[in-house]
Amino acid sequence: MPEAPYYEWWEAEEPGPSPATVPSGCYAVEPEPYGAPLVASEVPAQAMPRYGTLSNAQGQWLVSRGPRGNIVVDPDDARGLECHHVSPACCGATPTGGMNQRCSCGALVGTLSSDCCCPYELDLSADHVRAVLP
């Protein structure tokens, strides 16, 4: 799984997504937990890969206990998905609310991360998608 490209989102002239974590036409598999649910942790830790730290109202650190093995793609490569209950931020979606991308069949299939301060990627649930070869 590649590191997200470095992007100084706080110095951008216009808000918008960071560069994509995975190049167009490629994919990667995320071995670490990603997305919701987020649970309290005794020690400070990154909430999920490429995201940074989070804490709740009680000051406890939060870490992901979401699925492992997500298939990470450039969001611009996805076709036919629509946003559903997106966890909003200033200019895009964050992955903290869980799966937010719905397939045309109605199933939630992935988590879009598109806010300016997040990595720009689409994490598809390995349990909900399959490859379709031409």
Side-chain angles (χ1 to χ4, degrees), residues 27-89:
Y27 74 94
V29 176
E30 177 55 69
E32 299 298 321
Y34 190 88
L38 299 175
V39 299
S41 172
E42 296 290 323
V43 295
Q46 192 174 34
M48 61 191 89
R50 300 167 305 287
Y51 190 78
T53 57
L54 285 174
S55 59
N56 62 16
Q58 293 77 33
Q60 297 170 303
W61 298 102
L62 298 175
V63 296
S64 173
R65 288 294 180 258
R68 293 175 183 258
N70 287 337
I71 301 156
V72 184
V73 298
D74 181 332
D76 296 335
D77 287 349
R79 305 286 186 268
L81 299 180
E82 62 181 38
C83 287
H84 175 74
H85 79 279
V86 173
S87 180

Side-chain angles (χ1 to χ4, degrees), residues 51 86-90 92-98 100 111-115 117-118:
Y51 190 78
V86 173
S87 180
C90 65
T94 68
T96 57
N100 58 24
T111 304
L112 174 65
S113 176
S114 63
D115 190 59
C117 65
C118 299

Side-chain angles (χ1 to χ4, degrees), residues 27 71 124-126 128-134:
Y27 74 94
I71 301 156
L124 297 168
S125 168
H128 294 89
V129 299
R130 62 183 169 83
V132 178
L133 301 175

